Amino acid sequence: ACAERVVLSPRMHVRVRAQIVRELARLAALDRPSAPGAPPESAVYTRRMVATRVEILKRLEGSLASAQRVDDPQLVTEVAVVMHETLLPLLQPELLGAVHRPLQAAAAALEAIDSPLTQLRAQLHAELARCEVRAEFLVKAATQVDKGLALDLPDAEAQERLRAALRPLAERLQLRSDVWAEPEGAVDQAYLRFERARATAE
């Protein structure tokens, strides 16, 4: 009853934070085993685990929009962090469609407030780029790669890991955007032949 009163509070900040707590509780419930001796549901890709996380993401998108309306950068950050934690297990090829929009929302929200959490922002841009590639939105994917590479991460090691992760993707996108290009490397040539053959088959 107390939680319900908080959710119905006229103060948007309180309502959003109450919603975050509720969604974190739903996530925590997945960490409990479904039966004695069974692994926690969060460790197994069950229909219920996936559906629960997708539902949580939908509600958190609404919370993120509310946080943006009250112009509270800290609140925006809190929601975006929980969204990222929620969607991490769903970053599988067959589930990317379910996380594409939440990734877009979280990345755009943190970019809009120029969040200092650059490592998180870089991860979001990288994950979103892969979603855009899978959806064949190559220009959008290249934009996300560029945004990720433009961020200054807190230490040199993290910066190098980011570049190592994103530069190959940037090169592949460049090859795919210019179907008449003739790359020099054997690997790039093989990749381009594969892409041309796939485009012809489609």
Side-chain angles (χ1 to χ4, degrees):
C2 180
E4 291 297 328
R5 285 198 299 273
V6 174
V7 170
L8 294 174
S9 167
R11 292 186 58 204
M12 187 68 75
H13 296 74
V14 178
R15 291 173 59 190
V16 171
R17 286 201 168 92
Q19 190 66 49
I20 292 173
V21 171
R22 288 161 67 98
E23 303 313 333
L24 286 172
R26 290 186 176 98
L27 283 176
L30 291 175
D31 290 330
R32 294 194 290 268
S34 56
E41 282 194 82
S42 59
V44 183
Y45 280 86
T46 63
R47 183 172 305 204
R48 179 175 179 273
M49 185 275 272
V50 172
T52 298
R53 288 182 180 274
V54 170
E55 289 169 7
I56 289 171
L57 285 170
K58 288 179 180 177
R59 286 190 289 267
L60 287 173
E61 278 190 76
S63 298
L64 184 62
S66 296
Q68 290 176 298
R69 280 198 298 274
V70 297
D71 196 23
D72 185 334
Q74 180 59 38
L75 196 57
V76 168
T77 301
E78 290 174 23
V79 180
V81 167
V82 177
M83 287 178 73
H84 189 241
E85 291 174 357
T86 302
L87 63 81
L88 277 175
L90 304 181
L91 292 173
Q92 306 296 321
E94 66 277 10
L95 297 174
L96 289 180
V99 299
H100 195 165
R101 195 171 74 175
L103 277 171
Q104 286 177 318
L110 292 179
E111 181 182 10
I113 62 172
D114 195 19
S115 169
L117 299 181
T118 51
Q119 193 153 350
L120 172 59
R121 290 172 61 189
Q123 282 182 266
L124 288 166
H125 287 305
E127 291 154 3
L128 184 52
R130 294 186 183 99
C131 286
E132 302 289 14
V133 168
R134 189 167 180 81
E136 296 293 329
F137 297 141
L138 303 187
V139 174
K140 290 182 178 180
T143 299
Q144 295 303 322
V145 169
D146 290 343
K147 287 182 177 182
L149 289 172
L151 290 168
D152 291 324
L153 269 57
D155 60 76
E157 186 178 345
Q159 193 82 47
E160 188 52 42
R161 284 199 303 269
L162 173 67
R163 289 172 180 162
L166 288 181
R167 278 179 176 166
L169 180 56
E171 291 168 4
R172 295 292 184 265
L173 286 167
Q174 180 60 39
L175 283 173
R176 290 185 65 177
S177 67
D178 186 358
V179 296
W180 302 112
E182 291 298 336
E184 296 179 1
V187 173
D188 287 342
Q189 288 175 1
Y191 178 83
L192 187 56
R193 283 197 295 270
F194 169 76
E195 289 299 324
R196 285 172 176 168
R198 191 176 73 162
T200 302
E202 291 174 351

